[in-house]
Amino acid sequence: MDRTPPAGTVRVRFIGNATLLIRYGSLTLLTDPNFLHRGQLAHLGYGLVSRRLTEPAVDVTGLPHADLDAVVLSHLHGDHFDRVARRHLDRGLPFLTTPHASRVLQGLFGFHRAVGLRTWQSHTLLRGDSLVRVTALPGRHAPGPARRLLPPVMGSLLEFGDRSGRIRLVMYLSGDTVMFDGLRDIARRCPDVHLAVLHLGGTTLPGGLVVTMDAGQGADLLDVIRPHRALPVHYDDYGVFRSPLSDFLAEAARRGHGGRILRCRPGERVTVGGDTRR
């Protein structure tokens, strides 16, 4: 397990797709656990599957299981919570997720501490003197009526601080969303985001339906949220991803966001502090 990061900083290890290990003080969070190997199929519902093109940087058996405090799960899709994670994660591990995913996790898979958060509802975790308040944020997995065909999704606001309630660092996880007006509410309510993690890839379903942000939409979200730093994830890992990371980097740079972007390959770590300046 990594050493405790410096006070007031968050250390993020990118495992692949949308899977991150996040460490703040004595707290450790796992996001969207996806540990399928190259060539294995992720199930997306309605008979749709997508083949993984990459290896996770960490095998599920290599996780610091004893140190995990919770999983932040944006939604139930096979490239965000897969059969490998389901088999190896402790059934007593808290999951912070959508009400839909919480019901399935508890009723079908036996993760009895899954918590379903409605949009703008929060849940607080403590370990030692370290605190994180997780708030469910707006997200929409597809435009228009098509979103009813996909599982509900949430973004997440992670506010890190100490037992006194003082917040020192704010992190935004977009979840699998497309751009829509509800994301502007995040900018209004959360004007000072230190690190935004953007789920990209331009996931494209049969018929051409795009259900996650492509390069242009990712840059649009940067225009709206204007985080101090941004970490792109959820790209190039599956066959349904049609918008490569290179397109997003070029578009972000064209719009003047190049200085915000953190480059972090699978297996690497980045450390961000709450005193980060734009």
Side-chain angles (χ1 to χ4, degrees):
M1 182 62 194
D2 290 345
R3 290 176 295 176
T4 301
T9 70
V10 65
R11 180 173 294 143
V12 178
R13 187 176 190 187
F14 182 31
I15 293 176
N17 202 40
T19 308
L20 307 172
L21 265 176
I22 300 171
R23 186 81 187 270
Y24 179 88
S26 55
L27 282 165
T28 305
L29 304 176
L30 178 69
T31 72
D32 290 341
N34 177 212
F35 293 96
L36 294 175
H37 291 278
R38 182 188 297 117
Q40 292 183 308
L41 297 177
H43 295 273
L44 307 180
Y46 299 99
L48 296 174
V49 295
S50 184
R51 190 175 303 277
R52 184 155 192 172
L53 307 176
T54 61
E55 286 288 336
V58 176
D59 187 79
V60 68
T61 59
L63 290 175
H65 289 273
D67 291 316
L68 291 179
D69 292 287
V71 174
V72 180
L73 177 63
S74 61
H75 67 304
L76 272 182
H77 249 164
D79 62 326
H80 292 259
F81 180 70
D82 59 37
R83 55 193 176 273
V84 180
R86 189 167 69 240
R87 187 163 58 245
H88 287 276
L89 293 178
D90 189 328
R91 293 298 192 276
L93 186 62
F95 276 69
L96 306 179
T97 187
T98 66
H100 165 266
S102 174
R103 290 191 297 270
V104 176
L105 287 167
Q106 291 189 53
L108 191 59
F109 301 140
F111 289 91
H112 59 272
R113 296 180 66 190
V115 176
L117 299 176
R118 299 182 302 276
T119 303
W120 301 114
Q121 186 177 5
S122 299
H123 184 90
T124 299
L125 298 166
L126 281 166
R127 177 180 274 199
D129 193 48
S130 301
L131 171 149
V132 62
R133 182 167 61 237
V134 180
T135 302
L137 298 181
R140 186 172 290 179
H141 208 338
R147 68 180 183 271
R148 298 186 183 93
L149 301 174
L150 299 173
V153 66
M154 72 179 196
S156 300
L157 191 74
L158 311 183
E159 296 173 284
F160 293 99
D162 58 37
R163 188 174 288 272
S164 73
R166 177 193 175 200
I167 299 301
R168 300 187 62 176
L169 188 142
V170 178
M171 184 173 176
Y172 165 51
L173 310 174
S174 75
D176 278 14
T177 188
V178 294
M179 279 298 297
F180 72 110
D181 284 344
L183 298 183
R184 300 185 184 279
D185 292 338
I186 299 172
R188 286 192 287 268
R189 293 198 189 200
C190 315
D192 196 27
V193 172
H194 298 103
L195 176 62
V197 177
L198 307 183
H199 290 206
L200 301 170
T203 307
T204 304
L205 300 183
L209 181 66
V210 178
V211 299
T212 64
M213 293 183 291
D214 59 12
Q217 290 189 52
D220 289 343
L221 188 56
L222 287 180
D223 289 342
V224 171
I225 302 294
R226 303 192 69 80
H228 298 207
R229 296 288 183 265
L231 175 64
V233 301
H234 197 268
Y235 57 81
D236 300 346
D237 286 291
Y238 282 90
V240 289
F241 296 169
R242 302 298 173 82
S243 181
L245 174 64
S246 57
D247 285 0
F248 169 73
L249 296 176
E251 182 62 16
R254 189 184 70 81
R255 299 198 199 181
H257 296 303
R260 301 180 194 273
I261 308 301
L262 294 174
R263 298 296 307 277
C264 184
R265 292 188 294 268
E268 295 182 341
R269 300 167 177 83
V270 294
T271 301
V272 174
D275 60 351
T276 303
R277 295 291 181 260
R278 286 184 174 85

